[in-house]
Amino acid sequence: MRAGDAGAVVHVWAACTPSDCDWGETRAEPWNGSLIAQYDMGFKTTHVQLVPQPDGRLLLVRRSEYRDRSGRTDTGSAEFFTRETPQADGARAGEAREILRRVAERYRDLPPSHFAYTRTIQQTSGSSVARSIVTVDVLWSPPRRWRKEWTEGGERQIEIADGRTRWTVYPDANEYRSSDQGEAARLFDYVLLDTTRALPEFVRLDALDGVDCAIVRMDLGRGVTQEFWIDSRTHLVRKDTTSEPGGTTREVMFTESELGETPPSDAFTYSPEPTKAKNRAEEQRRAPDTLVGTPAPDLELADLGGRSVRLRDLRGNVVLLDFWATWCGPCREALPMIELYHRGLREKGLLVYGVNSEAATLAEEYLEKNTLSFPSLVDSEEQATRAFRVGAWPTTVLIDRGGTIVFYATGAEPEKVTQALRAAGAW
């Protein structure tokens, strides 16, 4: 919190995973001896009240209002904060802060620009290594418009921020998502590097693809470190690497950074009306109502052993599909019950399959480690995830002996699953 030209300015950080989130600065209004600040994040508005205490502590009261039609509510929270003893900046830390200040200023004042970068996520678990690589093309127009295009999970995606609305467009499916862009939305978080709480460290000068770069490293806490390779001439980030505990590394490598390139005039506009595009979030929300009673999609996926499984060939059996992920806590909690269905109801004609869109090695290692024997299908291109309109994990789908979807539930619902299995004759 600091004094600004127009009054008090609040800067909020929040506890996120794998590292803390930076909400940025906003003006605070005085009210009854306290300060009130609001953070518009598009899908929600978070109200923050700061109340100084007689003993020097600061009481922070927080509550969020959701605008994404999810039906979520927030009862709020209250926390006390004490002043942190400042640490002395060494000469190298001071040099690093000056470099980050120049970077932040550069990204705050970006002219119309074109960027391209490759995002690589590598996860190492035991003896398995999984790597995903996505190439992103970006157009930027100040003050708050951008267009990003990439292909992920076998699907082309476009994100368009027009200054008011943030659209995610799925051209091949003729679908979209939308949310308020919010004042806190940013194309690159590099605009906040001069306000970081972490103590930066200047590592060295080095060359990257023939470009002289300054390397700055930050300890973000919880075992997370972030390292930037910064073009010494333009003050643009060339490479950004984050290392997390547990063997996960995230790297962004910029291959193009063209400043002053004017984008096409229609690059930052979108409307679902001309193509009658459907709202994907709404379709996913309505999936339990719209899919139950319809034939299951005729999909063919491979299991973790490489054997092909086609849903049509499973007719005559009741089929339970459990959409799960290793990163999903509720999924992990529900898997022992899925295993019980697999072991206990096979003789009743029930076939149980997990469906996982992560790297096959990660899913396989998790199932082996936890002695789970049900077969799991590899949905790396998210073919089944899209076909069954999965928008939350875990999701459980039950298909009867004739190939019709008879049950669909998001979240762990063991009692409802049991009733559905009885109704399908597999209990």
Side-chain angles (χ1 to χ4, degrees), residues 214-345:
I215 304 174
V216 175
R217 182 183 298 131
M218 294 194 304
D219 183 350
L220 303 181
R222 304 183 188 179
V224 181
T225 59
Q226 189 169 15
E227 187 173 273
F228 303 97
W229 290 61
I230 299 165
D231 189 319
S232 299
R233 182 180 62 85
T234 66
H235 310 304
L236 293 171
V237 175
R238 294 297 302 272
K239 185 168 75 168
D240 173 0
T241 303
T242 302
S243 300
E244 304 171 9
T248 298
T249 302
R250 305 172 189 272
E251 179 184 277
V252 174
M253 175 73 78
F254 285 85
T255 55
E256 291 186 46
S257 299
E258 300 294 336
L259 304 187
E261 183 173 319
T262 303
S265 58
D266 61 348
F268 310 106
T269 60
Y270 174 76
S271 171
E273 296 299 328
T275 62
K276 294 182 172 54
K278 295 182 179 180
N279 186 321
R280 177 167 290 192
E282 185 66 17
E283 294 295 305
Q284 290 174 335
R285 186 187 67 79
R286 296 174 59 238
D289 299 322
T290 58
L291 291 185
V292 170
T294 66
D298 185 22
L299 299 175
E300 185 173 358
L301 299 174
D303 65 16
L304 294 172
R307 294 174 291 274
S308 178
V309 176
R310 186 171 182 175
L311 289 185
R312 175 181 293 180
D313 297 338
L314 304 180
R315 290 185 180 176
N317 301 280
V318 178
V319 178
L320 187 151
L321 300 178
D322 178 67
F323 289 83
W324 70 284
T326 61
W327 48 261
C328 167
C331 298
R332 297 194 299 268
E333 292 176 6
L335 288 181
M337 181 60 71
I338 300 298
E339 177 71 8
L340 288 177
Y341 294 145
H342 167 64
R343 294 187 181 187
L345 300 177

Side-chain angles (χ1 to χ4, degrees), residues 108 110 140-146 163 181:
R108 278 197 287 265
L110 278 179
W140 161 258
S141 178
R144 302 178 64 246
R145 300 192 301 167
W146 66 79
Q181 187 170 334

Side-chain angles (χ1 to χ4, degrees), residues 114-191:
H114 172 233
F115 297 92
Y117 61 85
T118 299
R119 183 179 70 238
T120 303
I121 301 177
Q122 180 169 302
Q123 297 173 285
T124 303
S125 178
S127 59
S128 65
V129 177
R131 183 182 293 109
S132 66
I133 301 175
V134 176
T135 300
V136 184
D137 193 81
V138 182
L139 296 176
W140 161 258
S141 178
R144 302 178 64 246
R145 300 192 301 167
W146 66 79
R147 180 188 184 96
K148 297 165 61 176
E149 298 192 32
W150 71 99
T151 298
E152 189 170 15
E155 185 174 30
R156 182 178 169 225
Q157 302 179 42
I158 304 172
E159 180 182 277
I160 297 173
D162 60 18
R164 293 176 302 177
T165 304
R166 196 167 180 171
W167 305 90
T168 301
V169 185
Y170 309 92
D172 297 337
N174 195 27
E175 295 178 347
Y176 71 95
R177 295 178 184 270
S178 67
S179 64
D180 292 341
Q181 187 170 334
E183 293 298 326
R186 297 177 289 270
L187 174 62
F188 296 120
D189 285 338
Y190 304 139
V191 298

Side-chain angles (χ1 to χ4, degrees), residues 316-386:
N317 301 280
V318 178
V319 178
L320 187 151
L321 300 178
D322 178 67
F323 289 83
W324 70 284
T326 61
W327 48 261
C328 167
C331 298
R332 297 194 299 268
E333 292 176 6
L335 288 181
M337 181 60 71
I338 300 298
E339 177 71 8
L340 288 177
Y341 294 145
H342 167 64
R343 294 187 181 187
L345 300 177
R346 280 179 291 187
E347 294 183 359
K348 294 281 189 176
L350 177 68
L351 299 179
V352 174
Y353 290 95
V355 183
N356 185 294
S357 58
E358 299 171 282
T361 52
L362 291 178
E364 185 173 24
E365 184 171 278
Y366 182 87
L367 294 177
E368 289 180 355
K369 181 179 179 181
N370 291 276
T371 322
L372 298 169
S373 62
F374 63 85
S376 192
L377 305 179
V378 180
D379 191 32
S380 55
E381 297 295 300
E382 298 189 0
Q383 178 187 4
T385 300
R386 290 192 294 272

